[in-house]
Amino acid sequence: MGTGIMTITVDPIATLPPQPLLSRYAECSMWLARYMERIENLARIIDITETFVRSGATDGWQAIIQINADEETFLKAHGQYTAERIISFYVIERDNQTSIAALAHAARENARSLRPIISVEMWAQLNVFTNFIRDLKASDIRPGEISTLCTKIKEECQTHTGITEGTLYRDQVSVFYNIGRFLERADQITRLIDIKYHTLLPSEAGVGSEVDISQWSALLRSAAGYHAYRRVMAGDIRPSSVIGFLLKSAAFPRSLTTNLRLLHNGLTQLRRDYRLLASSNILERVEHLSAVLESQTADQIIVSGLHEFCDWVQSELQQVQNEIAQAFWPAEPVVVRPLQSLPPLEPFPAFSSQTQSHSQA
Amino acid sequence: MGNSTHKQTGHKQTGPSPTVSGLSATTPSEGLFSTYQNGHFFCELTNSGAPLDPRIDLLRQRLNALPLDDLRARAAQAEQELYNLGITFTVYSERDAIDRILPFDLVPRVLTQPEWRHVEAGVKQRVKALNMFLWDIYHDQNVLKDGIIPRELVVGNANFCNAMMGLDVPGGTYIHIDGTDLVRDETGRFLVLEDNGRTPSGVSYVIENRHTTLRVMPDIASGIDLMPVDEYGMRLQSALCQVAPDGVDNPQVVLLSPGIYNSAYFEHVFLAREMGVPLVEGRDLVTENDRVYMRTTAGLRPVHSIYRRLNDDFLDPEAFDPSSMLGVPGLVQAYRKRNVTIANAIGTGVADDKAVYAYMPRIIQYYLSEEPILSNVETHICAEPEGLAYTLANLDKLVVKPVGESGGYGLLIGPHATREELAEFSRKLMDDPANYISQPVVQLSVCPTLCETGLENRHVDLRPFAVTGKDTWVLPGGLSRVALKRGSLVVNSSQGGGSKDTWVLAS
């Protein structure tokens, strides 16, 4: 290069300071992700249970009630457990806040709030999907049709995830979205393990039997992990290896460890790329969670109490959610001023003289 | 044979028309237009009278060549698309958001360049006069002192806002976003029906209608050069920056919406997106030391210009309705300290009032020393002796409207009234003449519209949108609303009206 004038070209987009993000958008983005994950998870569980029950095992339906801790609400609404009622309760009953219909409604409301900033593709697909869910009737969820319906719902959720991945602008909104998604996946996997483990384990005689193996397979399928597990563990299906896979596999997209890592990445991005230092404390909590998980084998976790472990993880994740809310969308405006104590507006000088002259005119 | 078909044939004989590519040639006697008649109304597409622009003729030929089923299929596709994209107004029931689309008619309404230039100049003139009028009534009130308009009509108006007295708004602009409702009479003359200087809505449909037309009728629109409508968001954003408080280098603009439960929420989303600014609700904003901030993940960030889609009454519970949860406490005080700009300004409603409307020709004269480019619908002010005399003498031919602040009651439609009703109304008029204006019934223009049996004439109006920062820019075209019921003059969406794409031919 000669001695000419050196020109520096600067990409104006790359050099812009980070745009502030409305707190409400961050909140809605996170919850949109969480609700969509929940819908997908629930559809998968209903689908698997239906197949599982159809193939001869009984009593599978009640596990869903347990996963969601819905015993009381369900019995109040329906009196007794039957497959039809449980399916109805979890698919179309809007009064049940954990149903697919209620979750889809909540996802839609959050997406409506986010419409100015999400892609048109995201909105259009969500709009069509949530309208479809809203219009489901009892006749659409008959036992023979539920599996097809669940497959469609799962596919729509995955389409949503794909469209989001492919079209959502990668600024703070997408970071909060991802934080929501990974938080929810981490939470869901522990719920799944917890309940299945308790439902399945008590029958000592059944350990290693055909029924037992098909139950553990169902658990893996509920987490979309059956084939991946097969590849890693070949022919061996034992409680500790299944649980180890679901909790600790670094390569399985729905494992606890994977989602804690991704959650950590998201929080780090907030701190590093957007200078949101409030994420520091939250990062520490996630790091602690990961450390506790990594420090023990699945066998050790089972021996020292799997249920207690899952419980603890869930309450820590709840704390993470609370701390994020506290840091980025505090419930109250920063300045709280009760209405009564406000001084009256001082009258505008020009205004009072003018009105006087009118009334005299 | 209908008037329109005749015109079309005539044109074919007098000049070469562009070829209709990709569509089979159809003779007028068997095409979609074969049964269309515009009756004694002015037709926006067959242009009763004036020589037809070859591009309009081309458009008609192309439409004419479409089988009715094809047009219906495209209409269904357009409506499905609008619904899926959520280009809707929303009605909330107890637990559902019921999305309804504004019915969309595919047959565009076309304005030629000279027609548009006339409308544009008229709208600009009107906005200028309205802003000067508002400045005056909130400052020296010369227009009242000079007796151009009765003082009580202005200062006694429910929309007159005392808090605005003496406030110097940036650029002297009160009405940043204006929608002027126009109609055309049977001769094709544009007339102003109403000024909308508060929070006029509908501009999102103008732009979405264009997108929809180009998606479902690409072959129909192909090669016809239209003035673009996509600039609106940028123009609006730049106007709102221009009127930001002095001394702010990089103003933060926001759009303030009542929220997702508002029926016009889609339009708020659309405008925020087109401007690239946050769509905020009242709870997203706070005031501190008479400045406005928005709550972000990084804490409070200053806000300088607010395009509000909330009525005055809801803006600030401290200044107006204390029970409103939609607004921002302290906003009006921050505004009065000139730390934030509100668009449209507070108190603009006084200028788009029916009573003030009647005086607009005189207001334009007073401030600009110009004749109005766009006339009002002929309006008789009953407060004035000649107006009252004329109204009483012609009651059976007139629409009489109360101008009082609690308007909406006591409208008389003369041609539809019984003798008893006319007699009773005469007494009311004489008791309180100042409360009334009267207008002739305007025979609104029509446009071919897809109906049950094919293309029929339906009445349309036009709402052009003007954006004013330091200067005024008018979006080419505007919202054409169409009364979908046969013979109906009511184009409101709440009463079964729909909308059409409005084309302005380039050059």
Side-chain angles (χ1 to χ4, degrees):
Chain A
M1 205 185 234
T3 53
I5 301 161
M6 199 166 72
T7 54
I8 303 169
T9 52
V10 180
D11 175 4
I13 301 286
T15 54
L16 284 175
Q19 291 279 312
L21 177 70
L22 217 54
S23 290
R24 188 165 48 84
Y25 286 165
E27 185 177 7
C28 291
S29 185
M30 186 164 183
W31 281 106
L32 171 61
R34 295 199 69 157
Y35 290 134
M36 290 306 286
E37 278 298 323
R38 262 182 222 181
I39 294 170
E40 183 184 344
N41 206 63
L42 190 49
R44 188 180 290 109
I45 290 172
I46 292 170
D47 191 14
I48 294 299
T49 308
E50 202 276 333
T51 321
F52 186 51
V53 170
R54 199 173 353 126
S55 64
T58 52
D59 225 19
W61 287 110
Q62 237 165 298
I64 303 182
I65 306 266
Q66 285 174 290
I67 290 177
N68 292 290
D70 280 331
E71 289 91 341
E72 205 177 310
T73 337
F74 179 85
L75 288 174
K76 206 169 159 193
H78 288 280
Q80 56 175 324
Y81 297 111
T82 69
E84 285 76 10
R85 288 176 185 188
I86 293 174
I87 291 171
S88 159
F89 184 70
Y90 280 115
V91 180
I92 58 171
E93 288 176 22
R94 279 269 285 277
D95 290 333
N96 171 24
Q97 293 190 352
T98 56
S99 73
I100 286 174
L103 292 170
H105 178 71
R108 178 193 178 80
E109 295 300 272
N110 280 283
R112 275 169 65 80
S113 291
L114 287 169
R115 272 188 81 180
I117 49 172
I118 60 178
S119 63
V120 171
E121 289 89 339
M122 272 178 83
W123 168 255
Q125 188 263 345
L126 261 168
N127 188 32
V128 173
F129 171 60
T130 53
N131 282 337
F132 164 77
I133 296 289
R134 186 190 57 199
D135 297 339
L136 285 177
K137 290 175 285 294
S139 55
D140 299 316
I141 56 164
R142 284 189 291 248
E145 277 144 49
I146 190 65
S147 183
T148 314
L149 176 64
C150 286
T151 303
K152 179 176 164 60
I153 292 172
K154 274 189 295 179
E155 278 172 5
E156 290 291 335
C157 290
Q158 287 162 357
T159 303
H160 162 79
T161 309
I163 290 175
T164 304
E165 204 278 329
T167 64
L168 183 59
Y169 187 63
R170 296 289 199 281
D171 62 0
Q172 271 191 71
V173 184
S174 85
V175 179
F176 277 101
Y177 180 92
N178 284 330
I179 286 174
R181 175 196 292 169
F182 302 134
L183 200 53
E184 186 65 29
R185 284 189 184 171
D187 182 78
Q188 290 290 341
I189 202 79
T190 59
R191 283 173 195 275
L192 201 59
I193 292 169
D194 190 20
I195 295 307
K196 278 290 176 186
Y197 183 78
H198 278 270
T199 323
L200 299 177
L201 211 59
S203 114
E204 283 286 333
V207 172
S209 69
E210 248 174 63
V211 170
D212 188 42
I213 285 173
S214 76
Q215 287 172 335
W216 286 104
S217 301
L219 173 56
L220 282 166
R221 287 184 209 271
S222 307
Y226 176 74
H227 290 288
Y229 176 87
R230 280 294 203 202
R231 275 168 62 198
V232 182
M233 296 302 291
D236 189 13
I237 290 201
R238 280 178 299 128
S240 63
S241 54
V242 173
I243 286 162
F245 180 81
L246 296 177
L247 286 179
K248 291 167 69 82
S249 166
F252 177 51
R254 293 176 184 276
S255 76
L256 180 58
T257 197
T258 298
N259 286 294
L260 290 177
R261 187 180 73 236
L262 294 171
L263 183 57
H264 192 272
N265 287 354
L267 291 163
T268 306
Q269 254 181 300
L270 291 183
R271 189 177 61 174
R272 191 191 56 211
D273 300 348
Y274 301 99
R275 290 155 220 163
L276 301 181
L277 302 182
S279 38
S280 297
N281 294 338
I282 314 168
L283 271 165
E284 277 182 32
R285 188 178 290 278
V286 176
E287 279 162 16
H288 179 63
L289 246 169
S290 294
V292 171
L293 176 64
E294 301 310 324
S295 68
Q296 34 189 344
T297 64
D299 274 323
Q300 285 170 329
I301 292 173
I302 292 170
V303 168
S304 61
L306 183 61
H307 172 68
E308 287 71 17
F309 178 81
C310 287
D311 245 15
W312 177 75
V313 172
Q314 282 164 29
S315 85
E316 283 297 293
L317 292 174
Q318 182 58 53
Q319 264 320 107
V320 170
Q321 171 72 57
N322 295 345
E323 284 170 11
I324 288 172
Q326 192 54 46
F328 303 117
W329 51 89
E332 294 298 320
V334 179
V335 186
V336 185
R337 298 185 298 176
L339 272 178
Q340 289 80 354
S341 66
L342 285 170
L345 287 175
E346 69 238 35
F348 232 66
F351 147 59
S352 36
S353 62
Q354 289 285 356
T355 22
Q356 268 162 23
S357 66
H358 300 164
S359 48
Q360 286 158 7
Chain B
M1 188 187 257
N3 187 15
S4 58
T5 329
H6 178 71
K7 278 271 154 30
Q8 188 184 38
T9 320
H11 180 77
K12 270 184 174 172
Q13 290 163 346
T14 55
S17 51
T19 48
V20 185
S21 58
L23 295 166
S24 57
T26 313
T27 62
S29 61
E30 62 189 35
L32 270 180
F33 275 91
S34 60
T35 54
Y36 176 75
Q37 299 194 3
N38 59 321
H40 61 282
F41 306 109
F42 181 85
C43 176
E44 297 289 341
L45 218 53
T46 56
N47 218 6
S48 347
L52 200 56
D53 187 293
R55 289 165 292 184
I56 298 178
D57 192 41
L58 173 63
L59 168 68
R60 277 179 46 210
Q61 284 180 49
R62 286 173 172 179
L63 286 168
N64 195 49
L66 282 184
L68 185 57
D69 286 351
D70 184 337
L71 194 61
R72 282 201 202 290
R74 292 174 191 232
Q77 185 196 343
E79 302 216 325
Q80 187 62 47
E81 204 164 86
L82 290 170
Y83 185 69
N84 288 350
L85 287 171
I87 299 168
T88 45
F89 59 98
T90 308
V91 184
Y92 270 80
S93 72
E94 194 183 330
R95 55 192 317 189
D96 277 315
I98 310 292
D99 289 335
R100 301 226 174 98
I101 60 167
L102 182 62
F104 171 70
D105 184 74
L106 297 94
V107 182
R109 180 253 191 94
V110 188
L111 298 170
T112 61
Q113 193 60 209
E115 283 176 326
W116 174 245
R117 290 289 165 221
H118 172 72
V119 169
E120 182 186 48
V123 167
K124 282 184 177 174
Q125 181 194 48
R126 209 155 171 110
V127 170
K128 192 171 178 189
L130 283 169
N131 278 317
M132 291 174 81
F133 171 69
L134 283 161
W135 178 279
D136 188 20
I137 61 169
Y138 288 125
H139 288 81
D140 298 336
Q141 303 190 331
N142 291 323
V143 72
L144 308 184
K145 290 172 190 160
D146 290 345
I148 305 300
I149 179 168
R151 178 176 294 273
E152 202 40 45
L153 219 52
V154 174
V155 299
N157 192 298
N159 295 305
F160 185 83
C161 178
N162 287 324
M164 290 300 292
M165 285 306 299
L167 181 66
D168 295 345
V169 297
T173 303
Y174 289 79
I175 298 181
H176 308 80
I177 298 95
D178 174 75
T180 310
D181 285 349
L182 301 176
V183 295
R184 294 180 90 167
D185 65 13
E186 60 278 8
T187 66
R189 194 166 58 126
F190 284 100
L191 299 169
V192 180
L193 195 62
E194 186 171 304
D195 299 287
N196 294 283
R198 277 172 271 190
T199 52
S201 65
V203 72
S204 58
Y205 295 108
V206 176
I207 296 151
E208 292 293 355
N209 283 351
R210 177 65 51 82
H211 292 167
T212 307
T213 301
L214 297 183
R215 276 197 299 266
V216 301
M217 309 243 286
D219 47 347
I220 303 297
S222 164
I224 302 179
D225 201 9
L226 305 178
M227 290 188 78
V229 293
D230 280 326
E231 265 178 277
Y232 187 83
M234 281 183 301
R235 294 279 188 167
L236 182 57
Q237 207 261 352
S238 117
L240 292 169
C241 286
Q242 284 171 15
V243 296
D246 292 338
V248 180
D249 281 342
N250 203 353
Q252 173 73 58
V253 176
V254 299
L255 193 151
L256 175 60
S257 163
I260 63 170
Y261 298 103
N262 187 270
S263 63
Y265 180 68
F266 166 71
E267 176 146 306
H268 307 160
V269 167
F270 176 90
L271 290 169
R273 235 169 18 194
E274 291 292 310
M275 287 195 284
V277 306
L279 174 56
V280 301
E281 298 176 11
R283 59 191 159 131
D284 297 319
L285 300 180
V286 290
T287 58
E288 232 183 271
N289 300 323
D290 300 329
R291 289 178 188 277
V292 182
Y293 299 88
M294 58 180 179
R295 298 168 61 210
T296 78
T297 55
L300 297 183
R301 289 298 173 96
V303 167
H304 307 104
S305 264
I306 301 177
Y307 176 21
R308 49 82 172 236
R309 294 293 297 257
L310 277 179
N311 291 337
D312 289 358
D313 288 354
F314 300 115
L315 273 180
D316 179 351
E318 287 179 11
F320 303 115
D321 181 355
S323 68
S324 170
M325 304 296 287
L326 299 172
V328 186
L331 181 59
V332 169
Q333 186 65 8
Y335 183 48
R336 276 169 33 170
K337 298 269 183 176
R338 303 180 64 188
N339 289 328
V340 68
T341 298
I342 296 177
N344 287 347
I346 299 169
T348 56
V350 71
D352 66 17
D353 189 272
K354 276 195 192 68
V356 174
Y357 161 88
Y359 290 88
M360 271 308 285
R362 302 178 199 180
I363 287 171
I364 291 170
Q365 265 287 353
Y366 180 74
Y367 291 107
L368 304 174
S369 306
E370 294 170 6
E371 284 301 313
I373 298 169
L374 293 168
S375 304
N376 272 10
V377 172
E378 177 190 336
T379 303
H380 310 278
I381 299 164
C382 302
E384 300 176 349
E386 320 84 78
L388 178 62
Y390 182 88
T391 305
L392 287 170
N394 296 281
L395 209 51
D396 57 339
K397 302 181 196 73
L398 296 170
V399 178
V400 190
K401 300 173 176 177
V403 296
E405 29 198 88
S406 51
Y409 70 91
L411 186 93
L412 177 86
I413 300 174
H416 296 171
T418 63
R419 292 177 70 119
E420 291 75 30
E421 285 166 339
L422 289 173
E424 196 194 322
F425 210 90
S426 295
R427 282 192 294 277
K428 277 212 265 186
L429 256 172
M430 285 183 288
D431 283 349
D432 186 13
N435 192 34
Y436 296 95
I437 57 169
S438 70
Q439 295 173 331
V441 180
V442 181
Q443 302 296 328
L444 301 194
S445 62
V446 294
C447 190
T449 300
L450 178 60
C451 302
E452 286 295 304
T453 60
L455 292 185
E456 290 183 23
N457 73 57
R458 289 291 183 271
H459 292 293
V460 290
D461 76 348
L462 177 67
R463 176 182 287 183
F465 290 90
V467 173
T468 308
K470 288 182 172 147
D471 309 302
T472 297
W473 171 82
V474 191
L475 176 70
L479 180 64
S480 288
R481 294 182 298 179
V482 51
L484 293 176
K485 283 185 209 131
R486 187 196 304 264
S488 168
L489 295 170
V490 181
V491 295
N492 288 349
S493 57
S494 53
Q495 298 185 46
S499 74
K500 282 172 169 289
D501 191 7
T502 311
W503 290 6
V504 177
L505 297 174
S507 74

